[in-house]
Amino acid sequence: MPPSSTPRPSLADQAYGILLDRLVMLDIAPGDPINETSLTAELGVGRTPVREALKRLEAEHLVQSFPRRGTFAARAEISDLRSITEMRLILEPVGTRKAAEDARDAQREQLRALASDIAALRTSEPSLRTLLEFDLATHRAIYRLVENAYMREVLFRLDNQATRLWWSVIEEVPSVANHIAGHHALLTAVADGDPGTAADLAQAHVAEFHAQVQAALLRAAEL
């Protein structure tokens, strides 16, 4: 059997992926301490891979290290919302357009399958976590198709931060399911190779996200 063309992720990459999702989904809450010893035992890897993963996460502003205090999950700063949205409004349409232009046939079929899974949510009552997982899956599937590595990296980082902000106010957002349902049209436009529609939908999606988070903040402030 020929060797796989996809390189096996390193232990540091595996640790990074696990910790990334925990931080983004707030399984590790903002401000929580991160214990390297506990992580090495839990993940079954050595200290070096964990430390390499934490260095990457610190560079992405998801963890913070303090001398003599340790490492902590970064705060989800609502004050960053405007700056994150400004960047996403510029890059999301461009990246999504490129994804619609550059995707290969097999990748387009994967997007259609994900769109079908999202459509099926309408007949169920998914949890907020499930909805947010589909949101992440949609954005990540599209970003992976962007051949510009610099743009792809920034898109991933911005979406990670945006998801943390959304999680922090999610209980005050009344229409999460409707927002996620809109991903069906976005994925379909990319899969169909319709870059103009895909870019327009991506921009509208970011604007809607921003409006929902702002409205949630206002509702929380009124309580």
Side-chain angles (χ1 to χ4, degrees):
M1 179 181 294
S4 172
S5 60
T6 302
R8 186 174 182 177
S10 68
L11 292 177
D13 288 337
Q14 294 176 42
Y16 167 83
I18 292 169
L19 292 173
L20 172 67
D21 284 347
R22 291 182 184 181
L23 289 160
V24 169
M25 298 297 285
L26 301 195
D27 293 326
I28 303 176
D32 275 1
I34 297 175
N35 188 293
E36 287 186 16
T37 302
S38 297
L39 283 174
T40 57
E42 179 189 354
L43 302 180
V45 299
R47 281 185 175 271
T48 298
V50 170
R51 287 177 176 172
E52 289 179 7
L54 290 174
K55 286 180 180 178
R56 287 177 62 184
L57 293 165
E58 186 170 18
E60 296 173 17
H61 307 291
L62 291 170
V63 303
Q64 293 177 295
S65 296
F66 301 94
R68 296 181 297 278
R69 288 182 56 201
T71 302
F72 300 82
R75 298 287 181 184
E77 301 290 354
I78 293 296
S79 58
D80 292 338
L81 175 63
R82 181 176 296 277
S83 296
I84 291 170
T85 298
E86 285 178 353
M87 290 293 294
R88 293 184 75 205
L89 284 172
I90 295 169
L91 291 179
E92 288 273 352
V94 177
T96 305
R97 176 183 291 275
K98 288 294 295 176
E101 292 172 344
D102 298 339
R104 300 179 181 89
D105 289 343
Q107 294 168 326
R108 295 185 193 279
E109 288 308 310
Q110 291 171 357
L111 295 182
R112 291 192 178 95
L114 180 55
S116 179
D117 290 340
I118 289 174
L121 293 175
R122 297 170 184 165
T123 61
S124 63
E125 296 182 1
S127 66
L128 287 176
R129 185 180 185 88
T130 296
L131 291 169
L132 265 295
E133 286 172 346
F134 271 105
D135 182 74
L136 271 177
T138 295
H139 289 288
R140 290 175 176 181
I142 293 172
Y143 301 157
R144 290 189 188 103
L145 305 181
V146 178
E147 294 185 358
N148 184 321
Y150 297 101
M151 181 184 296
R152 185 172 63 244
E153 179 181 356
V154 175
L155 285 167
F156 271 106
R157 289 190 180 192
L158 290 171
D159 189 60
N160 289 336
Q161 295 293 346
T163 302
R164 296 183 86 227
L165 293 180
W166 206 11
W167 253 129
S168 68
V169 298
I170 198 69
E171 296 294 341
E172 299 298 327
V173 178
S175 56
V176 177
N178 289 338
H179 183 78
I180 303 307
H183 289 41
H184 181 276
L186 176 62
L187 287 164
T188 300
V190 177
D192 289 348
D194 186 348
T197 299
D200 290 343
L201 288 171
Q203 187 171 49
H205 175 77
V206 173
E208 181 184 76
F209 163 82
H210 184 82
Q212 286 190 343
V213 174
Q214 281 195 317
L217 290 171
L218 288 174
R219 280 190 291 273
E222 292 171 354
L223 296 179

